[in-house]
Amino acid sequence: MSRTVFCRKYQKEMEGLNHPPMPGPKGQDIYENVSKQAWEEWQAQQTMLINEKHLSLMDPNTRKYLQAQMDRFFNNEPFDKAEGYVPPEN
């Protein structure tokens, strides 16, 4: 049986992650308060930001920037999006 969490982004009970996505308190916070769906959506958003903005994960400032954008994403605050990206029409 999958575990559920009250998702910070969607404000409802949803399927949770199987394990913390990163070490430390931030990983534990995400594990306890972010749904699997929201995490997967963030991963896609993060990949687009890295690719579109040509970010290097070796740069500590890039990691800080992505961390800030991730927090904004999960808290439903305005966050940077990849310029020019148009989501596919269903």
Side-chain angles (χ1 to χ4, degrees):
M1 175 138 207
S2 63
R3 61 184 279 282
T4 61
V5 297
F6 185 80
C7 182
R8 180 182 301 147
K9 179 159 184 66
Y10 292 107
Q11 295 295 301
K12 64 181 182 180
E13 287 288 326
M14 298 178 74
E15 181 181 355
L17 296 167
N18 294 329
H19 51 78
M22 60 185 74
K26 179 55 81 175
Q28 192 63 34
D29 177 52
I30 292 168
Y31 178 70
E32 294 172 0
N33 300 294
V34 173
S35 67
K36 185 176 184 179
Q37 177 184 335
W39 178 253
E40 289 170 356
E41 289 172 6
W42 166 248
Q43 292 289 278
Q45 193 65 239
Q46 176 179 250
T47 299
M48 285 190 286
L49 285 173
I50 291 167
N51 290 337
E52 290 290 321
K53 296 182 179 291
H54 307 285
L55 301 176
S56 168
L57 295 176
M58 298 297 288
D59 181 355
N61 290 325
T62 293
R63 292 193 303 271
K64 286 179 189 170
Y65 165 76
L66 289 172
Q67 178 89 36
Q69 295 309 307
M70 178 181 71
D71 291 341
R72 296 174 74 84
F73 178 83
F74 290 139
N75 292 323
N76 292 311
E77 298 170 357
F79 62 94
D80 288 352
K81 297 179 178 75
E83 291 93 20
Y85 174 73
V86 178
E89 292 185 21
N90 293 336

